[in-house]
Amino acid sequence: MKKTLVVLLALLILSTTMVFALVTGSPVIKGQLPFLLTNAGQGPGGKMARLLIWQSKAIQETDFDYNAEPLRDNPNDLAARDYKMLFVIIGSSAKGLGASGITIEEEIARLNKMIVEAQKLDLFIIAAHIEGKDRRGNPGSADEQSIDAIAPFADYLIVMKDGNQDGKFTRIAQEKNIPLTIIDNTIDFMQVIKQMFPTE
Amino acid sequence: MKNSVYLKILFLVLSGILGILGGIEFVELRNYKETVVVSEDFTEMIMLSEYLPSLKGTWGDTPIYIYDSGVPGGSMLILGGTHPYEPITTVAAYVVMENIKVESGKVYVIPHANMSASTLGMLGNAYPKYFSVETPWGSQKYRIGDRGTNPLDQWPDPYTYIHYPSGQNLAYQDIRNLNRTFPGRANGTLTERISFAIMELIRNEDIDIFFDYHEASLMYPVVSTYVAHDDAMDIGMMAAMMLSATQFPMKIEASPKNLKGLTHREVGDFSDALALLMETPEPFIDRVAGRMTEELMVDGIDEFVQTAAEKGLVYCDYDIKEGFTDPLGNVIIGAPLDYRVGRHLSGTLEAVNWMNMFFPEKALVVSFPGYAEVMENGTGYYLHDPSKADPSRVFKN
Amino acid sequence: MLVFFDTIIYYLYFIMTAFFAFLLLRNLFKREKRKALVYDIVYSYVIITFILRVIGIK
Amino acid sequence: MYLQTTIIAIVMVATFALASWKLKSPEISMVITAIVGALVGGFGFPSRLLVEGMFTYFDVGLIFLTASIFINIYSETGAMNALVRWIVKQFYDKKWLMLILLGILLIIPGALTGAGSVSIFVVGGLVSSVMNYMGFSKKRIAAFIYLFAMLAAVAPPINLWAMLMAAQANMPYVGFGVVLIVPIIIIAAFTILYTGLSKTPGRKTKTEILEELPQPPAGMNWFKILVPFGVLLVLILLMQYATFYIPVLGLPLTFMICAFISMGMDKDRWKVKKWYNVMVKTVDQVFPLLGTVISVGVLVNIMTATGVKGLLAITFITLPMAFIYITALIFAPFAQGSLSYGSAIILGTPIIFLFNSMGLNVTVTAAALSFLFPLGDCLPPSRIVGRLTIETVGYEGSYMSFLKAIAIPWLFMGAIGLLMLLFPNQLRFLVVY
């Protein structure tokens, strides 16, 4: 029972509109609707973000679409609706290797195509790395390749603190002059969403 | 040169003595029983063979402990000891069994999912036979088993194992690996029949949420992780994020669709249960670990694994010198038993909470000590003295 | 039915092992090759391995 | 821990060297090394760990025993000689075609069971005597058989190293077909050329050979020659493709069934005494191998207990990448020599994870490693397939001279494996699902 209480308490804290020091760095930018949520690297991050957006209750479920692999089968994915933003969650998967996984080369090729297409459509690109150091790897790994394919082309970066221990995202932000918001924990992504889409 | 017959007999006798000395220890391990004192909410113990009679009288049969609140609600099944060389999973199941309170719904716990595999050491791995958990009333001894079913119970292995029903080829010894034989066959090998019986339990009792406790080597990417079937993904993700923010680092991975025979894949595919598997870090089973000792099992402190960690080859927090600090402020040095037990306990509670939130109609209200409590008081604090307990609540496994 | 056959095969393996244990025992005392003393020792512990399996100890 | 374990490791190596030199028996030397290692490591005299170790490769030992019994009984019926006779008759003038066929013959049993030793047991004797009559030197015969036994173990459908690594790394064992077959064809072609281009000065004429070969016993016919092998093939294929409808037979029982069928083909089928003697002789013949697999298990168990195994593994995988490539040809084979298939689990799996973390293709990497491990089947302490080859061929030189005899194709295979390890992403196109 005590355990349940702790969890409920934590939830309560998280669901207040009060902002703790959980979200730091550049002020959260104002969001535009509708947007397309996707992921780079085929990790669980995209679904996690979708879930957190639902849980935040800041916007309607119909205000955004989730597509795990836009442009893989359908070249019109980015123009399926009048999207204003492309919201990319970066992170690969550690699930089974070989045939059970994805080939990262194909994934990167798709991501490159997606960025070009998004820029052509003049979408506001948000790159978010919200799973921390577990989704960082050696140079050349699926995680790093995914970051390199997306982050430098973003208009806005959201990164979890311990995923930026080596300062890679800070460097990208400075070089490309991209605003960078830092969160303490994955779950604080909910706060970012709430600030992005404040309910009057 | 003709060797003396007496000399030959002498060698034979000496080897025989060696065999007897070793044999005594094998027999002792095979027949050693662990003691557990079930909580007051315990209602009934049945055997797995109730779901598949052909298991009766075999080492594949194993006790199922039932905690029925009598109040309508969700139902949960916990498997410990799917791989008995990850014995903390059984200890965690015991802590649940000794302390659980069920306010609504029904809970099933199988502490030794593969009983046969828990009765021998793993060939070539030189494990100690037992390890002990210190309690306020003395120390409590548990077996360290194998990964697969005892060859004395299932023999021979094929030259390649073909998974039923997918037809996927797997290494031959995986035919005795309970976490590769799901969903099992009623007329298959012993291990396949254990899987089938567990599936029958899940289907017949309409289990809502299923947990399979595991431990992993630190160099295995899926360590400190939930592995969730597609249906349980939302629950797993919320629980993982919550735990990482408030208690201990926890990752989440989706169950790969092409990897067959594993509980998180097959239980989800072949029943309505929400299937989750949890992995804690167990340096003891890392390929690079040094000396095989009981202390390594209990404290999880190993220099070679530390080297691997320093080279960035492990997939979770690990430090045997300064340790790392969890969100509650505990400093974790190595991968101690309490840490691993606590992870399983809170991993279960957190996921159940989220199931209750996502599916209020399945509400399962349970409580037992979690990570914070176990880290504070130690695992032994939650194990009860069988000599002082009501004999009807003392069980041997 | 398959379970029944599995059981028969299971026992066949024990019989097979017992048979080999017997052959090894015979060769410990009467063999053509490798008559050196050290091989008496090797034979001895190999035989014990087979016997422990036959009597279901390991 | 590093220092202590290193000392234990050094003591164990020294003990093994000394014991092998003094006692001339690798089997007992391994057990003595294990006991000394346990004593130095502070485990006392760990009877349980020693006995437990004896069971590590118990089932492998059973396979050796039963496979040999089958083939010796088959030979006893005269079928083997008839087969050799027929091959010499047909292919005496077609050397290249014959070598290709013998190669394929050697690959089949190992490819289906995953064990090169099974290839040698089942068809090694046949291949050896045919090549003998064709005038090849013992050295070339040994090299040919050893190389093809290794390729047989690597060949799909069953490549145990790749399967074990896949199982440990949670990757499905699929996509390995082409990436294994292409290098196998290259290595096989090289080995055939290497063998075929050698001189065969002592080659007799066809008629001489046929006179020398014993006449097949009365009543020997194609049916009797082929049925035992046919049954073996059918049983193995049934186990692969009708698994869900038959019980698990296991290889030992399969070989025993075929042995009994062979007996049934003979006119002396009821002469129990005769068959009993064949089996006694077989046990005598196979014993060194049986002793080896039992003893190597003891050694491995103590190496694990004392942490020596962990020391080897951590040392190898924390080497800088360049060193991994440089030393792979030493580390991987020696791991195989001392740990047998355990090498795949102990060294192979960490490498898979390491390479994966750098974005290298793991399927090609696993395939590459599976070409490097079998090279160690001729290395001490166990040198199982190496010794088996020597026995089967009747090679008389020293073990070192055998190693020299196989060196060139061995290095070629190593080079191919290493190239695959170096360029996994460039070879990715070979992975076909």
Side-chain angles (χ1 to χ4, degrees):
Chain A
M1 218 53 240
K2 200 175 149 197
K3 196 72 260 138
T4 324
L5 218 65
V6 171
V7 172
L8 285 177
L9 206 72
L11 262 184
L12 201 71
I13 294 167
L14 289 166
S15 56
T16 51
T17 42
M18 264 179 64
V19 183
F20 282 48
L22 304 170
V23 180
T24 51
S26 306
V28 174
I29 57 106
K30 182 144 173 39
Q32 306 162 64
L33 297 173
F35 63 82
L36 180 67
L37 178 68
T38 183
N39 48 214
Q42 299 307 313
K47 282 184 181 161
M48 242 171 191
R50 176 177 61 170
L51 191 59
L52 288 171
I53 295 170
W54 284 343
Q55 293 287 313
S56 76
K57 307 216 161 53
I59 55 175
Q60 300 290 316
E61 278 189 32
T62 50
D63 287 339
F64 73 101
D65 291 329
Y66 173 76
N67 187 339
E69 290 179 275
L71 304 187
R72 199 190 70 166
D73 304 319
N74 180 358
N76 291 323
D77 279 332
L78 294 192
R81 247 168 101 180
D82 183 21
Y83 296 123
K84 302 289 190 303
M85 306 196 302
L86 179 66
F87 212 134
V88 192
I89 313 293
I90 305 171
S92 74
S93 170
K95 70 187 178 192
L97 310 172
S100 58
I102 47 148
T103 65
I104 191 64
E105 291 76 17
E106 283 168 24
E107 176 71 0
I108 298 299
R110 185 185 67 80
L111 294 177
N112 292 339
K113 206 163 68 180
M114 185 173 84
I115 290 292
V116 170
E117 184 77 13
Q119 285 172 337
K120 214 189 304 170
L121 292 168
D122 208 17
L123 299 181
F124 188 86
I125 303 172
I126 304 178
H129 190 271
I130 60 171
E131 292 175 89
K133 64 176 187 301
D134 298 330
R135 302 293 175 202
R136 292 296 308 276
N138 294 318
S141 66
D143 282 314
E144 299 306 306
Q145 288 194 45
S146 305
I147 293 170
D148 295 337
I150 301 289
F153 306 99
D155 300 301
Y156 179 44
L157 287 167
I158 303 168
V159 175
M160 180 171 148
K161 198 154 87 197
D162 82 348
N164 191 27
Q165 270 165 349
D166 60 350
K168 176 168 183 161
F169 289 100
T170 316
R171 210 161 46 240
I172 293 174
Q174 277 165 357
E175 276 168 19
K176 305 273 173 175
N177 203 13
I178 310 168
L180 168 68
T181 295
I182 307 273
I183 55 175
D184 268 19
N185 284 298
T186 311
I187 205 144
D188 302 329
F189 181 72
M190 246 155 65
Q191 287 302 328
V192 176
I193 294 297
K194 280 182 194 167
Q195 293 181 28
M196 231 182 218
F197 304 101
T199 40
E200 269 72 36
Chain B
M1 186 176 81
K2 195 161 166 57
N3 304 331
S4 132
V5 173
Y6 297 110
L7 218 47
K8 289 173 196 274
I9 292 175
L10 176 70
F11 289 145
L12 202 55
V13 169
L14 286 176
S15 302
I17 292 172
L18 178 71
I20 291 169
L21 288 175
I24 289 171
E25 293 196 49
F26 298 139
V27 173
E28 184 200 321
L29 177 63
R30 190 151 164 92
N31 294 298
Y32 177 79
K33 298 283 180 221
E34 300 166 351
T35 311
V36 58
V37 181
V38 295
S39 80
E40 281 173 11
D41 284 14
F42 167 79
T43 39
E44 189 190 0
M45 191 272 273
I46 59 171
M47 297 301 284
L48 187 61
S49 52
E50 298 217 356
Y51 297 95
L52 185 64
S54 79
L55 285 178
K56 210 176 181 81
T58 71
W59 284 85
D61 207 0
T62 187
I64 305 167
Y65 295 83
I66 303 173
Y67 297 78
D68 188 353
S69 65
V71 181
S75 55
M76 162 164 79
L77 169 63
I78 294 174
L79 295 192
T82 302
H83 288 156
Y85 77 139
E86 300 157 6
I88 287 340
T89 59
T90 297
V91 176
Y94 286 154
V95 174
V96 171
M97 287 161 59
E98 299 220 3
N99 301 282
I100 190 169
K101 290 191 175 60
V102 188
E103 283 168 44
S104 77
K106 200 170 175 182
V107 174
Y108 297 77
V109 184
I110 308 181
H112 275 298
N114 190 344
M115 184 61 88
S116 165
S118 74
T119 62
L120 80 162
M122 194 156 161
L123 291 180
N125 285 22
Y127 292 155
K129 283 179 293 180
Y130 311 105
F131 68 101
S132 295
V133 178
E134 298 307 320
T135 74
W137 45 268
S139 74
Q140 186 69 311
K141 197 164 81 168
Y142 300 102
R143 299 192 293 271
I144 301 176
D146 195 348
R147 182 178 167 95
T149 305
N150 195 332
L152 287 177
D153 302 323
Q154 182 182 325
W155 199 27
D157 291 345
Y159 72 91
T160 180
Y161 163 46
I162 296 165
H163 172 255
Y164 178 87
S166 72
Q168 181 168 293
N169 279 347
L170 291 158
Y172 64 91
Q173 66 273 56
D174 274 336
I175 201 167
R176 289 182 284 112
N177 177 349
L178 184 58
N179 200 25
R180 293 294 181 280
T181 52
F182 273 79
R185 280 196 292 169
N187 59 356
T189 62
L190 184 67
T191 318
E192 285 179 309
R193 283 184 280 143
I194 299 171
S195 302
F196 181 80
I198 294 172
M199 285 307 300
E200 282 291 286
L201 184 166
I202 293 169
R203 289 185 285 243
N204 291 343
E205 311 299 340
D206 284 326
I207 297 295
D208 292 314
I209 190 161
F210 165 87
F211 290 95
D212 185 10
Y213 290 176
H214 281 262
E215 299 201 85
S217 73
L218 281 67
M219 294 175 68
Y220 177 44
V222 189
V223 65
S224 294
T225 305
Y226 281 115
V227 186
H229 186 262
D230 325 13
D231 301 341
M233 208 49 203
D234 287 357
I235 290 172
M237 284 195 293
M238 285 315 289
M241 286 188 276
M242 224 35 223
L243 289 173
S244 299
T246 60
Q247 301 192 49
F248 49 81
M250 187 74 165
K251 296 180 283 181
I252 170 95
E253 289 293 345
S255 163
K257 287 202 166 55
N258 295 334
L259 208 53
K260 300 295 183 182
L262 293 106
T263 54
H264 48 75
R265 167 60 32 205
E266 311 295 351
V267 170
D269 281 356
F270 287 85
S271 79
D272 298 327
L274 300 161
L276 290 156
L277 178 148
M278 288 189 282
E279 301 271 14
T280 68
E282 187 192 7
F284 187 81
I285 58 173
D286 262 280
R287 316 284 160 221
V288 300
R291 260 174 108 73
M292 283 299 135
T293 59
E294 199 187 318
E295 293 80 62
L296 178 57
M297 171 58 84
V298 174
D299 305 330
I301 292 177
D302 186 274
E303 271 186 43
F304 298 167
V305 178
Q306 174 76 13
T307 304
E310 284 163 9
K311 300 271 177 185
L313 294 171
V314 308
Y315 292 86
C316 62
D317 297 288
Y318 187 76
D319 193 338
I320 62 170
K321 291 168 190 154
E322 278 141 39
F324 66 94
T325 311
D326 70 14
L328 292 169
N330 298 303
V331 176
I332 318 292
I333 293 174
L337 182 136
D338 292 338
Y339 175 68
R340 285 141 65 196
V341 170
R343 291 186 63 102
H344 276 319
L345 298 175
S346 277
T348 308
L349 287 168
E350 191 66 44
V352 168
N353 271 327
W354 284 102
M355 176 182 78
N356 293 347
M357 253 172 260
F358 284 118
F359 306 97
E361 71 281 5
K362 292 181 179 173
L364 170 69
V365 182
V366 294
S367 62
F368 46 81
Y371 176 78
E373 288 89 336
V374 169
M375 288 305 286
E376 194 178 333
N377 301 318
T379 303
Y381 180 83
Y382 297 100
L383 298 172
H384 300 95
D385 188 349
S387 65
K388 298 211 177 81
D390 173 358
S392 70
R393 294 205 286 122
V394 178
F395 289 91
K396 301 266 188 191
N397 287 288
Chain C
M1 194 60 181
L2 276 178
V3 175
F4 174 70
F5 280 120
D6 275 334
T7 314
I8 290 182
I9 290 170
Y10 171 76
Y11 286 112
L12 277 178
Y13 270 81
F14 281 91
I15 293 168
M16 201 154 79
T17 308
F19 176 63
F20 289 133
F22 169 74
L23 288 183
L24 286 167
L25 201 60
R26 181 214 169 269
N27 277 7
L28 166 63
F29 291 100
K30 212 165 88 187
R31 62 178 183 266
E32 312 266 304
K33 290 188 199 163
R34 289 185 190 73
K35 293 187 167 178
L37 195 64
V38 284
Y39 277 96
D40 282 345
I41 307 177
V42 181
Y43 261 100
S44 304
Y45 65 72
V46 170
I47 291 167
I48 295 303
T49 313
F50 278 74
I51 292 176
L52 284 175
R53 173 53 58 92
V54 172
I55 57 177
I57 299 290
K58 178 72 192 178
Chain D
M1 196 152 87
Y2 272 95
L3 182 67
Q4 190 202 5
T5 317
T6 309
I7 292 171
I8 300 171
I10 291 170
V11 170
M12 286 176 84
V13 170
T15 310
F16 184 74
L18 189 72
S20 313
W21 175 52
K22 278 282 171 201
L23 297 172
K24 303 264 178 287
S25 155
E27 301 86 2
I28 195 84
S29 304
M30 284 190 267
V31 174
I32 291 171
T33 307
I35 293 172
V36 171
L39 285 174
V40 176
F43 282 85
F45 186 82
S47 41
R48 176 180 64 92
L49 293 181
L50 296 175
V51 179
E52 194 171 78
M54 300 199 289
F55 283 90
T56 311
Y57 301 110
F58 182 76
D59 284 274
V60 178
L62 275 187
I63 293 176
F64 289 167
L65 272 174
T66 50
S68 315
I69 285 179
F70 162 52
I71 218 67
N72 283 354
I73 285 180
Y74 182 75
S75 304
E76 188 69 23
T77 63
M80 190 65 94
N81 281 330
L83 205 54
V84 173
R85 214 183 157 77
W86 180 78
I87 294 175
V88 172
K89 221 181 209 165
Q90 293 298 312
F91 295 102
Y92 184 83
D93 302 314
K94 304 168 193 140
K95 182 174 76 175
W96 295 106
L97 184 61
M98 187 201 70
L99 285 176
I100 292 171
L101 285 176
L102 291 181
I104 293 173
L105 206 56
L106 271 170
I107 281 187
I108 292 170
L112 289 172
T113 58
S117 47
V118 173
S119 267
I120 298 183
F121 275 123
V122 177
V123 290
L126 170 77
V127 172
S128 167
S129 53
V130 169
M131 288 177 75
N132 223 350
Y133 284 117
M134 296 294 284
F136 289 104
S137 72
K138 291 273 188 201
K139 285 187 174 184
R140 293 295 157 124
I141 300 175
F144 185 85
I145 291 182
Y146 181 75
L147 252 290
F148 272 97
M150 288 198 294
L151 293 179
V154 179
I158 309 300
N159 174 327
L160 263 174
W161 295 281
M163 285 178 108
L164 288 170
M165 286 186 273
Q168 293 288 327
N170 260 8
M171 59 191 257
Y173 176 68
V174 291
F176 282 93
V178 179
V179 76
L180 289 176
I181 287 173
V182 170
I184 284 174
I185 290 175
I186 296 171
I187 299 165
F190 179 86
T191 309
I192 288 172
L193 283 176
Y194 177 75
T195 314
L197 291 177
S198 71
K199 293 193 184 75
T200 49
R203 191 171 174 187
K204 295 169 186 155
T205 65
K206 193 170 175 175
T207 29
E208 270 179 318
I209 298 172
L210 292 180
E211 260 168 36
E212 233 174 77
L213 270 167
Q215 284 295 326
M220 181 50 67
N221 57 31
W222 276 112
F223 178 75
K224 289 182 178 178
I225 292 172
L226 290 181
V227 160
F229 279 114
V231 170
L232 181 65
L233 196 67
V234 166
L235 284 177
I236 286 180
L237 290 176
L238 275 179
M239 283 190 263
Q240 181 73 29
Y241 298 106
T243 335
F244 306 143
Y245 310 102
I246 57 168
V248 176
L249 288 177
L251 279 178
L253 185 62
T254 310
F255 284 126
M256 285 314 270
I257 292 173
C258 294
F260 281 110
I261 287 175
S262 276
M263 284 181 208
M265 293 294 128
D266 198 82
K267 63 178 184 332
D268 292 336
R269 63 188 70 121
W270 300 116
K271 288 195 177 156
V272 178
K273 184 81 190 155
K274 173 177 161 186
W275 305 121
Y276 172 76
N277 283 333
V278 174
M279 291 190 200
V280 167
K281 261 205 197 101
T282 309
V283 171
D284 202 7
Q285 175 201 342
V286 186
F287 184 74
L289 273 172
L290 182 62
T292 300
V293 292
I294 302 273
S295 309
V296 82
V298 179
L299 182 61
V300 168
N301 221 27
I302 299 300
M303 279 170 67
T304 312
T306 52
V308 172
K309 190 176 88 176
L311 179 69
L312 291 179
I314 190 73
T315 306
F316 181 63
I317 60 165
T318 52
L319 289 171
M321 279 306 277
F323 276 93
I324 291 190
Y325 293 130
I326 293 168
T327 55
L329 261 181
I330 299 165
F331 249 106
F334 269 101
Q336 176 73 16
S338 48
L339 302 165
S340 190
Y341 290 107
S343 60
I345 297 171
I346 289 154
L347 285 189
T349 314
I351 293 179
I352 296 284
F353 286 144
L354 181 67
F355 278 37
N356 179 55
S357 77
M358 293 183 303
L360 300 172
N361 186 298
V362 287
T363 310
V364 181
T365 304
L369 288 170
S370 76
F371 278 95
L372 297 180
F373 287 126
L375 296 170
D377 274 331
C378 62
L379 296 176
S382 62
R383 51 190 190 180
I384 293 173
V385 183
R387 287 173 47 192
L388 187 56
T389 308
I390 289 181
E391 298 255 333
T392 310
V393 177
Y395 186 82
E396 274 151 9
S398 70
Y399 197 80
M400 271 314 286
S401 76
F402 163 73
L403 289 184
K404 267 185 218 148
I406 63 169
I408 291 174
W410 189 97
L411 283 172
F412 185 80
M413 181 163 165
I416 296 279
L418 202 56
L419 278 176
M420 292 171 71
L421 195 65
L422 279 165
F423 303 108
N425 284 1
Q426 287 76 359
L427 296 169
R428 197 177 54 230
F429 65 92
L430 290 173
V431 179
V432 182
Y433 296 122

